[in-house]
Amino acid sequence: MSESDADADRIRHLLAAEGDQIKANTRHFNAERYAQIDDIGSERHEHYRTSTREIKEDAIERLPELIEQVRESVADNGGTVYVADGAADAREYVAEVAEGVDAEHVVKSKSMTTEEIDLNEGLEARGLEVWETDLGEFVIQVAEESPSHIVGPSLHKSREEITDLFEEHFDPEESLDSAQALTEFAREFLGERIEAADVGVTGANFVLADSGSIALVTNEGNARKCASVPDTHVAVAGIEKIIPSVEELHPFAELIARSATGQAIPQYLSLLSPPVDTPAVDFDRPDEPDFGGSDADRDFHLVLVDNGRTEMRADDDLRETLYCIRCGACANSCANFQSVGGHAFGGETYTGGIATGWEAGVEGLDATAEFNDLCTGCSRCVNACPVKIDIPWINTVVRDRINRGKDPGLEDVLVDGLVPDEEAPGTPLRKRFFGNFETVAKLGSATAPVSNAVASLSPIRRVLDAGLGIDVRRELPAFQRETLVEWAEGRTTVADPERRVVLYPDVYTNYVQPERGKAAVRTLEALGCAVTVPDVGGSGRAPLSQGMIATARDKAERLAADLGERLDAGRDVVVVEPSALAMFRREYEKLLPADEYERLDDGSYEVFEYVYGLLENGADAAALTAGDGDGVAYHSHCQQRTLGLEAHTVAVLEELGYDVVTSDVECCGMAGSFGYKSEYYELSMDVGESLADQFEDTDRTVVASGTSCTDQLEALLATEARHPVQLVAP
Ligand code: SF4
Ligand code: SF4
């Protein structure tokens, strides 16, 4: 079985086995998160995000100094700090602490860092009994599974599945056939383990450098029991969890539960400065003075785990992974994750979009190879992240590094000669094909319609499937013989124009869907703009999405120079395809010198953003095609929504008299080349089903801003889908 067939099987299995539960839970959290942002207002939300980002940037910058400060403050409190270089080191230290107090029983609260270092396995191997006391962690401990989500480790399981699991495992006297019965059973079972525990292990959401305090955020209250019932407490945290003081805690406290589960505040936010003087309770003599507390001093150990983090800190691209507060919002807002969950979209420990950064940093690149391609770069997680981490960029960089680490196969060497680019020889043939779509489109258009007819022949489709993994169920794009640039050549421009505009002919609009480009030209001309469509190259989106950063940078540099000349000559750049505009506004910041990025960022507009501006400044809306109450079902492109540009299209359509309903799914599932790939076809369609559900019975005209979105809608609904500019063009 090929690697791609194995991936397809794995994803198919997880879609069927865990998809419904993951969808229901992640979408619930995601919807509640949006409700919380509405509740506090986007301005306040953004203010907190800016603060958290600044605090984390500063803390990671000053990390060595803050670690030393923590050592001193914890020592002043009477505790011990141990900085573990790696996972084995950390496990060994915790085991020695436990053995030092002759421990037999250990209880734990939820901690991803202890998952990362395989602490349970390490302690059990030394003969200790370890129990997870967080309900979700308890479930997966009993099930002997790995977490499927950073915050909700067992959210892939239904209540019924947990009942079956517990009844089989524990054989209880009473039925556990309700959420309440399960919770009561777990509470009693774990309560007994906590009472009997010799050592309590917790994580720490934040470590406060100046006081040596730890902040624990939970919904079940189990962490503070683990921390305070046994007289030995070990807190295990990554070194990145340190912030300077309690003053910096506030914006995190505002955002962490809102981002994670859509709660205004967590059920418990405990600030502990262990070890405390209060004696531990003796549960055999709880009514005696001092609760029967022993005379034994409490003992506290803070284990700060490095395990690759110092190298991540020194790595310009992975560094911001260390700002992560592990809220899971990136997973909940990710359409692919919503369908398939963390057992596909994640590594051994970490799940969701940020898993790539964490797994690459603590385990190495190989740990990310299986799931990294599940990130389509849609960018929906970017605004969801409470610390403004550029998660798709981390995924892209890691993809690039994986490409570079591959040994070239024969076909890669051959294609390297045929399709020269800036990439390393190991970059797989298929990635080169999709990354060089501009070359394919040029050839396809120059030889259309023959190219389209040949490509659709069954034997050719089978070859494309076998050689490039292009799924036979997906209709291929039909190249147009006359490109948008050719159509626009020699077109009479508006005399005495209000504004001069360059319409950017992205690859897909130019070679595959020139009609939407023509509609954009006619719309802008009707509003008094002189429009030119220059013969310029691709934006680099296609190679970037394959992790071919050098090729993308090369294209970005050429295009920025070409469009820059026109911007300097007083023209505005208008873009039809949102993924191209997102390159100009987001990714070019990483690919170009600052001045070139800023010039293009300032001077380029999405087509409806531009039309909206023209109408606001007095252009005559009557020059466009009015809606007269016609119904429109509109799906905005994911990257357009991340840029905050969905509202402009809706506003223009409504001003022209259209009755607009919008989709509220995060992504259509197609995402450029992603939906064409055999192993991801079913996932792509599963994600798309949610969009289809919203539009399938509509008698409205279906429109979408992205080329991928229109292709996907046509596949799902078997109806025509157009760009909204094709509605309003005269
Ligand atoms: S960019 Fe999109 S696909 Fe990638 S992790 Fe973020 S939400 Fe998921
Ligand atoms: S990357 Fe951001 S959204 Fe994702 S878990 Fe970390 S803090 Fe939360």
Side-chain angles (χ1 to χ4, degrees):
M1 186 186 282
S2 72
E3 212 176 292
S4 145
D5 287 343
D7 282 346
D9 270 4
R10 191 167 52 90
I11 287 171
R12 191 176 302 124
H13 165 72
L14 288 168
L15 278 171
E18 301 181 357
D20 287 350
Q21 205 58 36
I22 294 274
K23 260 188 211 122
N25 287 324
T26 51
R27 288 181 185 177
H28 171 73
F29 288 154
N30 200 35
E32 294 297 308
R33 179 179 62 80
Y34 279 123
Q36 283 297 331
I37 297 170
D38 281 350
D39 195 43
I40 61 171
S42 53
E43 208 174 310
R44 197 168 138 211
H45 182 241
E46 203 50 30
H47 167 73
Y48 290 142
R49 290 177 78 223
T50 303
S51 301
T52 54
R53 175 79 188 195
E54 286 171 359
I55 292 164
K56 276 292 186 180
E57 282 180 1
D58 170 65
I60 297 300
E61 181 62 32
R62 296 199 287 127
L63 192 54
E65 168 200 332
L66 292 179
I67 291 174
E68 288 315 307
Q69 201 181 351
V70 169
R71 274 191 208 274
E72 285 170 23
S73 51
V74 170
D76 287 349
N77 293 343
T80 308
V81 172
Y82 181 74
V83 180
D85 286 339
D89 191 10
R91 282 194 306 267
E92 183 65 23
Y93 182 83
V94 181
E96 281 176 10
V97 168
E99 286 169 355
V101 294
D102 296 326
E104 292 176 13
H105 308 288
V106 176
V107 284
K108 278 186 65 222
S109 65
K110 183 175 175 328
S111 151
M112 293 309 295
T113 310
T114 59
E115 297 268 0
E116 175 191 318
I117 62 170
D118 293 328
L119 182 63
N120 291 16
E121 291 79 352
L123 296 179
E124 283 163 358
R126 306 277 279 253
L128 290 149
E129 181 192 69
V130 184
W131 282 103
E132 295 286 350
T133 62
D134 169 88
L135 194 49
E137 288 285 348
F138 179 48
V139 170
I140 60 165
Q141 182 181 21
V142 173
E144 297 182 12
E145 292 179 11
S146 60
S148 63
H149 188 280
I150 288 181
V151 171
S154 63
L155 58 65
H156 58 288
K157 289 200 174 298
S158 67
R159 202 275 299 152
E160 290 75 11
E161 286 171 314
I162 298 170
T163 293
D164 291 346
L165 173 73
F166 277 23
E167 289 188 346
E168 191 182 322
H169 190 87
F170 296 108
D171 193 19
E173 286 171 14
E174 307 275 329
S175 163
L176 300 179
D177 200 15
S178 71
Q180 183 168 347
L182 279 169
T183 313
E184 282 173 359
F185 172 82
R187 188 170 186 273
E188 192 175 332
F189 182 91
L190 294 173
E192 287 168 9
R193 268 78 200 157
I194 292 171
E195 284 181 15
D198 307 300
V199 174
V201 176
T202 67
N205 295 84
F206 303 94
V207 177
L208 313 182
D210 68 338
S211 61
S213 306
I214 61 171
L216 294 168
V217 180
T218 71
N219 271 334
E220 296 167 27
N222 57 312
R224 56 187 193 171
K225 289 182 187 168
C226 291
S228 58
V229 174
D231 52 23
T232 300
H233 173 198
V234 182
V236 180
I239 53 175
E240 82 285 1
K241 295 290 181 66
I242 306 175
I243 57 174
S245 72
V246 75
E247 281 183 31
E248 283 77 22
L249 189 60
H250 174 232
F252 294 102
E254 290 282 359
L255 288 185
I256 193 163
R258 287 190 165 96
S259 306
T261 47
Q263 295 164 268
I265 51 169
Q267 298 291 340
Y268 299 89
L269 199 170
S270 308
L271 266 175
L272 310 173
S273 302
V276 292
D277 292 335
T278 318
V281 178
D282 181 340
F283 285 92
D284 294 329
R285 300 180 297 140
D287 299 327
E288 292 187 13
D290 290 340
F291 315 106
S294 67
D295 295 336
D297 284 342
R298 283 182 179 269
D299 201 9
F300 173 65
H301 299 260
L302 174 61
V303 182
L304 292 173
V305 178
D306 188 321
N307 203 27
R309 287 163 174 81
T310 296
E311 282 178 42
M312 290 165 78
R313 179 171 173 268
D315 182 322
D316 285 347
D317 293 306
L318 289 190
R319 181 182 176 110
E320 64 178 320
T321 305
L322 298 173
Y323 306 160
C324 174
I325 59 170
R326 311 223 177 124
C327 69
C330 51
N332 299 335
S333 58
C334 175
N336 278 354
F337 189 95
Q338 288 177 356
S339 275
V340 83
H343 286 156
F345 200 156
E348 216 171 285
T349 307
Y350 297 100
T351 50
I354 197 60
T356 292
W358 278 120
E359 294 285 342
V362 304
E363 296 285 349
L365 285 180
D366 287 351
T368 69
E370 194 176 71
F371 67 90
N372 171 263
D373 279 344
L374 283 167
C375 173
T376 63
C378 78
S379 78
R380 294 305 297 140
C381 52
V382 170
N383 294 350
C385 176
V387 210
K388 299 190 181 182
I389 298 175
D390 194 341
I391 297 154
W393 179 255
I394 293 172
N395 276 282
T396 303
V397 167
V398 169
R399 195 169 301 166
D400 182 272
R401 292 178 186 179
I402 292 171
N403 290 345
R404 287 174 189 281
K406 280 190 195 290
D407 289 332
L410 179 60
E411 76 279 12
D412 301 321
V413 174
L414 288 175
V415 86
D416 201 36
L418 289 172
V419 190
D421 58 30
E422 308 295 315
E423 297 307 314
T427 305
L429 170 61
R430 181 208 223 182
K431 288 197 188 248
R432 286 168 183 267
F433 174 82
F434 285 119
N436 285 294
F437 183 69
E438 187 176 351
T439 308
V440 177
K442 268 185 195 158
L443 278 171
S445 169
T447 55
V450 175
S451 54
N452 298 323
V454 170
S456 63
L457 294 172
S458 299
I460 300 293
R461 291 305 308 264
R462 284 199 291 277
V463 169
L464 289 174
D465 194 351
L468 295 169
I470 297 175
D471 199 285
V472 291
R473 292 163 287 186
R474 190 62 85 175
E475 197 172 323
L476 296 178
F479 299 110
Q480 303 301 305
R481 185 61 177 253
E482 185 189 52
T483 66
L484 175 64
V485 169
E486 287 164 354
W487 170 83
E489 257 169 15
R491 188 173 168 82
T492 312
T493 55
V494 172
D496 194 19
E498 290 287 320
R499 306 188 79 89
R500 294 184 185 278
V501 168
V502 170
L503 187 88
Y504 171 59
D506 65 273
V507 171
Y508 218 88
T509 304
N510 193 35
Y511 297 105
V512 182
Q513 292 191 9
E515 290 309 316
R516 64 182 197 155
K518 294 176 192 174
V521 171
R522 291 199 301 273
T523 299
L524 294 167
E525 286 178 346
L527 298 176
C529 302
V531 185
T532 53
V533 184
D535 188 6
V536 291
S539 67
R541 169 62 69 192
L544 195 75
S545 68
Q546 306 305 317
M548 295 161 58
I549 294 178
T551 306
R553 179 172 283 119
D554 184 51
K555 287 187 182 292
E557 285 168 356
R558 288 169 202 249
L559 184 57
D562 285 343
L563 293 179
E565 279 175 21
R566 291 159 170 97
L567 287 166
D568 290 345
R571 290 177 163 77
D572 296 324
V573 172
V574 172
V575 183
V576 182
E577 171 58 41
S579 62
L581 184 75
M583 286 294 283
F584 299 173
R585 294 227 175 136
R586 279 181 32 78
E587 281 81 7
Y588 277 15
E589 188 174 9
K590 303 272 195 328
L591 298 174
L592 295 175
D595 55 339
E596 287 188 41
Y597 158 68
E598 281 160 18
R599 179 170 58 169
L600 200 47
D601 179 37
D602 288 346
S604 57
Y605 304 85
E606 190 270 336
V607 61
F608 272 92
E609 179 189 22
Y610 200 75
V611 168
Y612 178 84
L614 292 172
L615 296 178
E616 284 290 293
N617 285 289
D620 183 10
L624 303 181
T625 301
D628 296 329
D630 290 351
V632 170
Y634 171 52
H635 172 67
S636 175
H637 187 275
C638 42
Q639 285 157 339
Q640 182 183 15
R641 290 177 66 200
T642 300
L643 294 173
L645 296 174
E646 178 184 31
H648 299 81
T649 304
V650 176
V652 170
L653 291 174
E654 288 182 346
E655 183 174 344
L656 294 176
Y658 294 91
D659 175 24
V660 186
V661 295
T662 55
S663 71
D664 62 8
V665 297
E666 296 290 351
C667 178
C668 73
M670 186 70 188
S673 61
F674 184 81
Y676 288 101
K677 294 177 179 170
S678 316
E679 69 273 36
Y680 302 132
Y681 171 80
E682 283 158 58
L683 170 57
S684 162
M685 293 303 274
D686 188 75
V687 171
E689 282 301 329
S690 307
L691 175 57
D693 287 348
Q694 296 186 6
F695 285 175
E696 68 187 344
D697 294 326
T698 189
D699 53 2
R700 294 164 178 269
T701 303
V702 175
V703 292
S705 342
T707 42
S708 284
C709 320
T710 51
D711 286 350
Q712 177 78 322
L713 279 164
E714 289 184 349
L716 288 159
L717 301 174
T719 187
E720 188 189 17
R722 291 181 289 164
H723 190 285
V725 79
Q726 291 173 268
L727 290 184
V728 307

